[in-house]
Structures are given as C-alpha cells and as structure tokens.
Amino acid sequence: GASNLVLHCRFQGHSDAGVYVSAASNVVRNCAFWGNTNGLGQNSVQTIVENCVVVSNAACGIRIYGGGVGGFVGLTARNCLIAWNGDSGMYVERDNGGGNWFNVFNCTIVNNGQHGYRFYGYSCPTYITNTIIAGNGGWGTYFTGWGAPRQYLDYSCVYGNVSGPHTNFVAPAVLGPNMLSAYPLFVGGGNFHLGNQSPCIDAGCDLSGAGITNDLDYALRTNAYDIGCYESALPPATKYDVSYADAARPDDIGAGI
C-alpha cells in the first residue's frame, strides 16, 4: 500500500504547497487545494492524486520536482479539476528519465494562467487520456528537454489555449486519432460539468482498467466515458450531415441549395 494516505482534507493559505509529498508512495484522494503557492508539490516519489479539486493557487496546481540518476518519479492524476491557478495547471520537472511515468486521466485542466500541462527535463512516458485542456493562458501542452519524446495523447479535448494546442510535440510522440479541438461547452459560470450538446460527452475511452469507474462527483462512468472529470447524464451531441451549396447551380439535385 501507500506510505502516506491523505483523505478528505482541505488545504488553504500555505506559503509553499498545500501538501508536499516526499515519501516512497502516496495517495491523495478527495481533497481540495486553494489559495496556496502550489496546490500539491512532489519530489522524487510516486503519487496518485484522485478526485481532487485544485483551484486558485498562486503558482501551479500540481508541481512535480525530481532529479538524479536512479531517482524515481511517478504521478497519476485522475478525476481532478485543476483550474484558475496562476501558473501552469500541472508542471513536471524531471532531470533523469529512468523508469518514470506520468498519467493524466479524466482530468479537467482549464483557465490556468500559463500552460495546461508543462513538462521540462529528460523525456519520460506521459499519457494524457480522457482529459480536457482548455482556456489556459499559454500552450495546452508544452514539452521541452532532452531525450526522445514519449508523449501519448488521445481521447482528449485541447481547445482555446492562448498560445495554441501543443508545442514541441514531435515524433515519436503520438497524437492519437480520437483527439478533439472543439469548445467543451461547460455549463458555465465556473461550473465545469458538461453542458447540453458538449462534444466531450461519450467521446472518451473506457479507463476502468486504470482504476476509473466513477467521476469527481462519484457518478458512475458508463461504457462510453465522457472526457473530463465529470460524467454527464446528457445524450451525446447531435451530429448532422454536411451539405454544400453552390450558388451557380439551381437546387439540391443539381447541387444548388
């Protein structure tokens, strides 16, 4: 099991991170972080962060440090809302690749001051799946460092980030065929549940094998998972056939209007 288990806590107003984890393995679950410098900080350890709300921290929502040959860093974030933080939603800094890995599953990373997901250092496997990255002040995903890129993004919605969707995202990194670039259509007013006709409804993949069976509200996720931290009971967006009009022709049969 985990060396540390942090459950049902609120962390507010800390001059560094709301929680700083440095034990061998950790689980942070059902917690809220706001008004800290960084929401959650981690150094050279393994952590699962799930069903957490990480909002309105002065710097990053989640800030990962790590370095040194042989050091091991692993992070899995799932069913998390990461929003309105002053710097990047998530910032991973890693000096040595080793056997490290980073997973971002069914998260909503929105409206942060800089990038949605920022990685710097030796390239490590990074899997971003069923995740919304939208409305951030920099890039959606921003990877820099050394080593062959090993980023894998699929079944996610990256939209409306000020600098663009991705930078330094080059082969052999993989941008999967099921990516969306469309306004997620949240309910609005600071509510990041999916609204009617959201393209993210039923657009994800089944991640029950990765331990995700419910959403941030503990609503059951169906076989057709939604993208983001909240599952919607609404039907998927209506898809319409596209017709093209040619004003030089008389009608539909003649390919007019």
Side-chain angles (χ1 to χ4, degrees):
S3 300
N4 289 309
L5 182 60
V6 182
L7 297 174
H8 303 291
C9 294
R10 297 180 179 181
F11 302 92
Q12 181 182 17
H14 294 272
S15 59
D16 193 349
V19 167
Y20 189 85
V21 291
S22 58
S25 61
N26 312 274
V27 173
V28 180
R29 182 182 298 139
N30 302 333
C31 293
F33 303 83
W34 74 94
N36 308 287
T37 299
N38 292 304
L40 181 142
Q42 170 187 315
N43 187 16
S44 296
V45 295
Q46 305 170 54
T47 304
I48 294 173
V49 183
E50 60 184 355
N51 290 80
C52 289
V53 175
V54 188
V55 299
S56 299
N57 297 284
C60 299
I62 297 177
R63 181 72 165 91
I64 308 301
Y65 306 88
V69 175
F72 186 90
V73 176
L75 173 78
T76 294
R78 54 195 186 199
N79 281 341
C80 291
L81 172 63
I82 304 171
W84 298 311
N85 299 289
D87 200 293
S88 295
M90 299 181 67
Y91 189 162
V92 176
E93 185 175 0
R94 182 63 190 150
D95 288 345
N96 179 265
N100 307 294
W101 41 264
F102 302 96
N103 301 319
V104 184
F105 296 151
N106 274 112
C107 290
T108 298
I109 305 175
V110 293
N111 295 0
N112 297 287
Q114 289 294 317
H115 315 294
Y117 184 93
R118 170 81 167 97
F119 181 94
Y120 172 78
Y122 190 92
S123 184
C124 305
T126 300
Y127 297 88
I128 299 176
T129 309
N130 285 10
T131 290
I132 298 172
I133 303 176
N136 298 290
W139 295 94
T141 64
Y142 183 11
F143 295 94
T144 55
W146 54 96
R150 289 185 286 170
Q151 294 87 43
Y152 309 90
L153 276 71
D154 206 0
Y155 292 98
S156 293
C157 178
V158 181
Y159 178 81
N161 301 285
V162 171
S163 299
H166 315 285
T167 189
N168 297 330
F169 197 92
V170 296
V174 176
L175 196 63
N178 305 290
M179 295 292 294
L180 297 179
S181 179
Y183 181 55
L185 280 176
F186 298 120
V187 169
N191 184 339
F192 295 108
H193 289 77
L194 301 176
N196 187 40
Q197 295 295 304
S198 169
C200 297
I201 295 174
D202 287 0
C205 65
D206 187 332
L207 288 179
S208 57
I212 299 175
T213 56
N214 296 79
D215 74 351
L216 182 55
D217 288 336
Y218 278 87
L220 183 67
R221 289 197 182 270
T222 62
N223 289 333
Y225 279 35
D226 292 351
I227 296 174
C229 62
Y230 296 114
E231 189 78 9
S232 175
L234 294 168
T238 304
K239 296 182 179 180
Y240 296 96
D241 291 333
V242 177
S243 298
Y244 296 94
D246 182 349
R249 307 190 70 161
D251 51 36
D252 277 337
I253 297 175
I257 295 177

